[in-house]
Amino acid sequence: MDNQRYSIYAMLLHWGLAFALAFQIGLGWRMEELDIGQGLFNITQLHKSIGITILILSIARLVLRFLKPPPLSNIDDIWALRLAKMTHIALYAFMIGAPVSGWLMVSTSSLNIDTYLFDILYWPHIPGLEYISGDIRSNINDASMAAHEMIAWVGIALFALHIAGALRHQYYKGEPILLRMLPIAKLQDKNVGSAAIIGLVVLILILFAAAQTWGEGHMKKPNQPAALSSESVVDSVINDQLLNGNIDTDKDGKVETEESVEEENDGPDAGDQTSSEAQAPLLIKNSKPVPWKIVGEKKLSFTVKWNDNDVMGSFSRWDANIYFASGALEQSKITVDIDISSATTSDASANGAIMGMDFFDINNFPKASFTSNSIKALGANRYEMQGELRLKNIVRPITVIFTLDEKETTAHAKGDVTINRLHYKIGETGYDEIANAVLISFDFMAIK
C-alpha cells in the first residue's frame, strides 16, 4: 500500500497549494468587486505575496515529482487516463503561469510599486525589463494583464475538473483514491473517506469565503506607524489651514482633495492680522537680516492619504539658505533646495513608485526648490511666508505658516503647508486612491 501512496512531502505541497489557490481565487474575485480607494492597494499586495508563494511551492512540487515519481495510475479507460494526464500538466502550467504573468504585469507597470512578500521580504521585479522602452513595456503589461486573467479562469476550470476526477474514482469506481494523498490509513473505510472529503470541501469553501471579505478591518498599509489619532494627520492640519487660508488652491481658489473639499482661499481678514500683530511680543530686533545655519537633526516630511490611510514620507537630503531678522522682515530671504531622490515613505512598497515618471520622475526632475518672496509677522512667534515652490519644473505660489522660537543666537523653526499634487503633475491620472492634498512639514534648529 505504501508504494501506492504519495510521499508526505508531496501531500503537504499538494494540500498547501490547494488551500492557497482556493484563497487566491477568492481574493481575485474580491479585487474585482472593490473600487479604488476601498483597500484595493492592500489586497493587491497580499494577492502578490500569495501568488509568489504559489509559484515557489509549484516549482518545488514539480521538482519533487521528478525526484520521487508518483504512484502508478489506477486502471482506467484510455480516455480517462489521457484526460487525467492532460489535466495534471495543465494544472502545473496554471500554477506556474498565473503567478509568472502577474509578476510580469507588476514588473512592467508604470506605477513601479515594489513587492514585499507579506510586508517582510523584498521580491524584485523581473530583471532586465527596466531597460526596455516605455512603449514596449506598456504592450507587455497589457498582454500580461490579459494573460493573467485568462489563465485564472482556465485554472478555475482545471481546479473543478481535478476535483471531479477525484470524486469519480472515490465513489463511481469505488477506489479510495484519497488514501494516496492523505496520511490517514483508515480512509479505506468508506465512511471515514466521505467525512474527510466533506471536511476538505468545507475548508476550501471557508478559505474562499474568507478571501471574499478580506480587507474589512485589515486596511492598515504596510509599515504604517500605528500611533495615529482617530482624526487623520492630513485632515486635521488641512482643516486648520483652510481656516487660516494657508493652502495651495487651484485657479478658482478651490482645494482639490479626495473628498472634494472646496473652500475659499481668501485668508484671514486684514483686521484680524492687524490685531495679531498688535499683540505680538517685543523681540530682539536686528536692523538687517543675518545668516542662519541649520544644526542638529532636521526634518522635511510629507503626508498624504492613500486608501483612507495616512502615508508619511520624508526627504533626507535638503538644505536651506536663511537670511532672517525679526526686525527686518522686508529684507529677509529663505531658499530651500531638496534632493527628490532622497524621498522615502512609511510604505516600503511605494518607495520605488514615487520615483517613477507618474510621480516625482527623478530622472528628469531630480531637484525641487522653494524661494520666499515676503515674510510678515502674525503674532505669538508665528509668521506667514509667501513664496514659490518649483517641483517638476512647475512653479506655483504657496503660503507657509511657521513658528520661530528665537533666542539670542539660536532658533527653533517649524511649520507646514498643504499643496495639491495635481498642480505639479504628480499622479495626474489613474491614482484616485491617493488624495490630492499633500501636507509638507518642516522642523529644525538653527544658529546665527
Side-chain angles (χ1 to χ4, degrees):
M1 179 60 68
D2 288 342
N3 294 331
Q4 298 177 17
R5 305 181 70 192
Y6 287 87
S7 68
I8 186 65
Y9 303 108
M11 293 180 187
L12 292 174
L13 286 171
H14 176 275
W15 292 111
L17 283 166
F19 299 146
L21 285 168
F23 187 82
Q24 184 77 326
I25 291 171
L27 206 60
W29 282 11
R30 169 71 169 162
M31 291 166 63
E32 291 292 328
E33 297 171 355
L34 290 176
D35 293 327
I36 292 175
Q38 293 182 308
L40 183 59
F41 178 91
N42 303 298
I43 292 181
T44 301
Q45 291 298 91
L46 178 62
H47 187 73
K48 290 193 295 181
S49 298
I50 296 175
I52 295 299
T53 302
I54 289 173
L55 174 62
I56 295 171
L57 294 180
S58 299
I59 294 174
R61 179 71 182 91
L62 189 59
V63 170
L64 181 63
R65 190 179 181 91
F66 284 107
L67 294 178
K68 187 175 178 59
L72 295 175
S73 301
N74 292 324
I75 297 174
D76 207 342
D77 298 330
I78 188 67
W79 66 266
L81 291 172
R82 289 177 176 174
L83 181 60
K85 185 175 182 179
M86 292 172 58
T87 300
H88 277 89
I89 293 174
L91 274 170
Y92 279 108
F94 155 66
M95 292 187 297
I96 294 174
V100 167
S101 63
W103 187 16
L104 182 61
M105 181 169 60
V106 170
S107 300
T108 54
S109 171
S110 62
L111 189 54
N112 191 36
I113 289 185
D114 291 331
T115 297
Y116 284 82
L117 303 184
F118 304 104
D119 304 340
I120 300 173
L121 180 64
Y122 173 72
W123 184 265
H125 295 327
I126 297 175
L129 292 176
E130 65 271 21
Y131 302 111
I132 299 176
S133 67
D135 291 340
I136 296 178
R137 281 170 58 89
S138 179
N139 292 335
I140 294 175
N141 184 260
D142 292 340
S144 59
M145 187 181 301
H148 190 69
E149 183 175 355
M150 180 190 70
I151 292 173
W153 283 109
V154 171
I156 292 173
L158 291 170
F159 204 65
L161 188 60
H162 183 64
I163 293 173
L167 294 176
R168 174 178 175 270
H169 281 282
Q170 185 78 18
Y171 292 104
Y172 179 75
K173 297 188 64 182
E175 300 167 349
I177 197 169
L178 278 180
L179 179 65
R180 295 154 60 103
M181 192 49 82
L182 278 175
I184 305 175
K186 291 183 179 180
L187 279 176
Q188 290 179 331
D189 185 321
K190 183 177 293 186
N191 293 331
V192 176
S194 298
I197 289 175
I198 294 173
L200 290 169
V201 170
V202 169
L203 180 56
I204 288 174
L205 291 176
I206 289 174
L207 288 168
F208 182 84
Q212 288 292 289
T213 58
W214 193 263
E216 297 175 3
H218 297 80
M219 290 296 101
K220 188 175 78 67
K221 294 186 64 56
N223 301 324
Q224 180 187 333
L228 291 175
S229 61
S230 57
E231 183 180 17
S232 88
V233 174
V234 178
D235 282 346
S236 61
V237 177
I238 288 177
N239 290 338
D240 178 67
Q241 292 183 357
L242 281 170
L243 292 174
N244 290 280
N246 172 30
I247 195 164
D248 181 30
T249 58
D250 61 18
K251 62 183 180 180
D252 297 321
K254 308 295 185 182
V255 57
E256 298 173 305
T257 65
E258 187 66 19
E259 295 78 15
S260 298
V261 178
E262 295 186 349
E263 297 285 347
E264 295 296 334
N265 189 35
D266 294 331
D269 294 334
D272 293 339
Q273 292 184 11
T274 303
S275 174
S276 299
E277 291 175 358
Q279 298 173 9
L282 293 175
L283 299 174
I284 301 173
K285 297 182 180 294
N286 296 315
S287 59
K288 64 179 182 178
V290 295
W292 291 79
K293 180 181 179 181
I294 296 178
V295 294
E297 183 180 3
K298 58 182 181 180
K299 296 180 180 179
L300 179 61
S301 61
F302 57 91
T303 308
V304 62
K305 289 180 72 68
W306 190 338
N307 274 326
D308 298 325
N309 294 298
D310 291 321
V311 174
M312 303 176 185
S314 63
F315 298 97
S316 60
R317 293 188 297 274
W318 62 279
D319 202 2
N321 292 315
I322 304 172
Y323 291 89
F324 181 86
S326 56
L329 294 179
E330 297 81 2
Q331 292 81 41
S332 296
K333 190 79 171 181
I334 299 174
T335 61
V336 182
D337 295 309
I338 307 164
D339 183 351
I340 297 296
S341 66
S342 68
T344 56
T345 73
S346 59
D347 184 348
S349 61
N351 289 335
I354 63 175
M355 301 300 175
M357 293 181 61
D358 290 333
F359 289 89
F360 285 138
D361 192 7
I362 62 169
N363 289 333
N364 294 311
F365 309 102
K367 305 291 183 181
S369 63
F370 168 81
T371 303
S372 69
N373 294 329
S374 66
I375 304 174
K376 64 180 179 181
L378 299 178
N381 295 341
R382 296 176 71 245
Y383 296 85
E384 177 184 286
M385 178 167 55
Q386 301 285 343
E388 293 179 334
L389 174 63
R390 178 183 291 273
L391 180 58
K392 294 183 72 172
N393 211 28
I394 298 172
V395 180
R396 288 188 62 93
I398 61 172
T399 302
V400 181
I401 301 296
F402 67 95
T403 60
L404 185 68
D405 295 325
E406 187 178 357
K407 297 181 180 179
E408 291 185 0
T409 59
T410 64
H412 179 202
K414 60 180 180 179
D416 49 55
V417 61
T418 299
I419 67 170
N420 189 322
R421 65 180 176 88
L422 299 182
H423 291 168
Y424 299 92
K425 298 184 178 180
I426 296 177
E428 282 187 288
T429 58
Y431 304 106
D432 294 336
E433 72 272 27
I434 305 175
N436 296 341
V438 181
L439 172 68
I440 301 175
S441 305
F442 59 87
D443 190 339
F444 62 86
M445 294 291 296
I447 59 174
K448 62 180 176 180

